[in-house]
Amino acid sequence: MTERTLTHGVGTEMADDIRDHGYAILQTRVERIPRLVKGLPCQEPEGCTRPATLATLAVDAVADEDGGAGLRFAKGPDGNPLCIVVCDEHRREASHDLYRALTGRMRPDGIRAFDAPGQYLNWY
């Protein structure tokens, strides 16, 4: 499994990852996503019973809107953003699992995991 680099904030680096890899990976605390069901267990495929603390999402487009980043999340067949929630221990594996679910390939070297500290995420 390749190392991941956590990059705080979103900006041109996220757009670069989308251009180079098809997606950018956003990983943030579950409490920053009001529509996310609280109290979910970790979704690590090999099994984990800890409560989820992080949400991992794939971003497929970024737009600069009034000084803030507008993110378009990759969506599943139900129309909701694809999201893997995990405990702190499985944070690294989640970005790899999500990228593999989206593309059928291992996550490439060089793709980063982004965070949007202090920002709450909504989707419609």
Side-chain angles (χ1 to χ4, degrees), residues 26-44:
L26 178 73
Q27 198 166 55
T28 194
R29 308 300 296 179
V30 295
E31 61 268 15
R32 292 189 188 144
I33 305 176
R35 290 193 55 195
L36 193 62
V37 176
K38 303 297 184 265
L40 290 172
C42 178
Q43 294 176 336
E44 169 56 30

Side-chain angles (χ1 to χ4, degrees), residues 3-10 13-14 17 23-28 55-57 91-92 94-96 107-108 110-116:
E3 286 294 317
R4 83 184 175 104
T5 302
L6 179 62
T7 304
H8 293 286
V10 295
E13 294 94 353
M14 186 175 272
D17 275 9
Y23 297 98
I25 302 297
L26 178 73
Q27 198 166 55
T28 194
T56 304
L57 302 113
R91 70 186 310 146
R92 206 172 109 202
S95 60
H96 291 274
R107 199 183 97 181
I111 192 169
R112 297 161 275 209
F114 292 88
D115 186 14

